[in-house]
Amino acid sequence: MGWMAANIPDQSGKTAIVTGANSGIGMITAGELARRGARVVVACRDTAKGNDAAARMRKAAPSADIRVVRLDLADLSSVREFAATFSGDSENAVDILVNNAGVMALPYRVTADGFEMQFGTNHLGHFALTGLLLPALLRSPAPRVVTVGSNLHKAGRIDFDDLQGHRRYRKWRAYAQSKLANLLFMYELDRRASGTSLVSVAAHPGYAATNLTSAGPAMTENKLEGLVNRLGNVLLAQSAEMGALPLLYAATVPGIRRASYVGPDGFLEQRGYPTIVDTAAAARDEDVARRLWDVSERLTGVRYAFPA
């Protein structure tokens, strides 16, 4: 038997923000953190779904301290409004930030700010959110940022000449690029935060049965692709509860090594219990990471203010 949610240390006194916590592994992650005593913020675009999720969490843990706050990562004005709730109060600290929300393999769409939807939501939205929350994170004695990746980052390439897919858009290539960007961000955040107590890590859920894969086929009304995804969730995927374990491990295990990447320990990291796994060499390219960071600051208008 590997590491389970029962192994999560007491989280009393900590504040945790989980993006996309209205469903799937985000909801499981938020619920387990709340069950262990953390004050949890369910950050999601649809607050009605967020409130439904919070009610389910409270049913499992009646004393849970859960708050639902609207956050649309595809709209930088929403990201700024959300972050201001925490950064504006000098007494308000954020101990754990789980950058979980994401979209997968969508037909070409753009965010409110004109970014390709997958790159804009999965990477730029979380880049901006983390930077804007940095003052609140650094008020914590031991802040931790968990960025959720995917095994598909290994197929990714950062195309600086066409980041937004204007010239040629392929939905899976765009998704892989956004997931590679997540891991480049995790490593670069670790390097830039080296003089602070902030710990930057990442995790991926393997192949977990969630609704993440259903949005793309629904948009294009591709019934065959939708059927394949549903069958995969039933026949091949592990449960959302198991998929959340790497995130919970990354968020709570004491003394985790900085820049760790956590994933399932089974075949091809598709299922199993959480363990430290490897990233692709492309995710550790420091030159690309620095360039991506500079581009992300320019696109979002968010600059990270680390103490001198």
Side-chain angles (χ1 to χ4, degrees):
M1 182 71 71
W3 191 92
M4 295 290 291
N7 300 119
I8 298 172
D10 180 50
Q11 299 296 300
S12 297
K14 293 185 177 182
T15 296
I17 298 173
V18 183
T19 68
N22 59 290
S23 65
I25 61 173
M27 183 176 70
I28 302 299
T29 299
E32 292 295 345
L33 291 172
R35 189 198 299 265
R36 296 300 183 275
R39 295 182 296 271
V40 172
V41 177
V42 172
C44 59
R45 181 172 53 85
D46 189 329
T47 55
K49 291 181 179 179
N51 286 322
D52 288 344
R56 293 173 62 182
M57 296 178 209
R58 293 189 188 102
K59 187 174 181 180
S63 63
D65 184 351
I66 303 169
R67 181 158 62 111
V68 178
V69 182
R70 186 177 185 278
L71 170 65
D72 184 354
L73 289 161
D75 183 345
L76 291 178
S77 66
S78 174
V79 176
R80 291 181 181 278
E81 183 178 352
F82 176 92
T85 305
F86 300 90
S87 294
D89 183 352
S90 62
E91 301 299 318
N92 209 347
V94 174
D95 302 279
I96 302 169
L97 171 61
V98 182
N99 288 326
N100 162 75
V103 292
M104 174 190 280
L106 303 181
Y108 185 77
R109 298 286 190 279
V110 296
T111 70
D113 304 282
F115 307 130
E116 186 275 313
M117 184 65 73
Q118 297 188 84
F119 186 73
T121 302
N122 298 352
H123 170 62
L124 291 176
H126 281 125
F127 177 92
L129 176 67
T130 306
L132 292 167
L133 287 176
L134 188 62
L137 285 161
L138 294 180
R139 284 195 287 269
S140 167
R144 195 174 296 192
V145 176
V146 180
T147 300
V148 178
S150 164
N151 249 341
L152 280 175
H153 84 273
K154 296 172 182 176
R157 182 176 70 88
I158 306 300
D159 186 353
F160 288 107
D161 293 327
D162 193 23
L163 278 176
Q164 312 299 339
H166 292 149
R167 298 178 184 174
R168 188 180 187 188
Y169 180 76
R170 290 183 178 178
K171 62 182 182 180
W172 284 108
R173 184 171 69 174
Y175 178 72
Q177 174 181 250
S178 74
K179 291 288 103 178
L180 176 58
N182 287 153
L183 292 179
L184 286 161
F185 165 71
M186 180 274 284
Y187 281 120
E188 186 65 12
L189 177 60
D190 171 70
R191 286 186 285 269
R192 294 181 183 234
S194 61
T196 75
S197 60
L198 187 147
V199 172
S200 174
V201 292
H204 80 87
Y207 187 178
T210 70
N211 60 6
L212 180 64
T213 59
S214 64
M219 286 183 177
T220 58
E221 298 183 351
N222 189 324
K223 294 181 179 179
L224 177 59
E225 188 176 4
L227 176 61
V228 170
N229 287 334
R230 289 192 297 273
L231 287 174
N233 279 349
V234 172
L235 300 176
L236 301 175
Q238 63 180 354
S239 67
E241 287 76 11
M242 287 296 293
L245 290 181
L247 281 66
L248 289 163
Y249 185 102
T252 67
V253 165
I256 191 169
R257 179 169 47 84
R258 298 172 72 113
S260 291
Y261 186 40
V262 184
D265 63 0
F267 180 67
L268 296 178
E269 300 171 22
Q270 293 299 290
R271 56 194 303 130
Y273 296 98
T275 190
I276 303 299
V277 297
D278 291 329
T279 59
R284 301 188 297 273
D285 188 318
E286 295 187 23
D287 291 335
V288 171
R290 282 192 295 269
R291 185 178 178 188
L292 178 64
W293 188 282
D294 291 342
V295 169
S296 300
E297 284 192 334
R298 177 172 55 80
L299 292 174
T300 64
V302 174
R303 294 189 176 275
Y304 282 57
F306 290 105

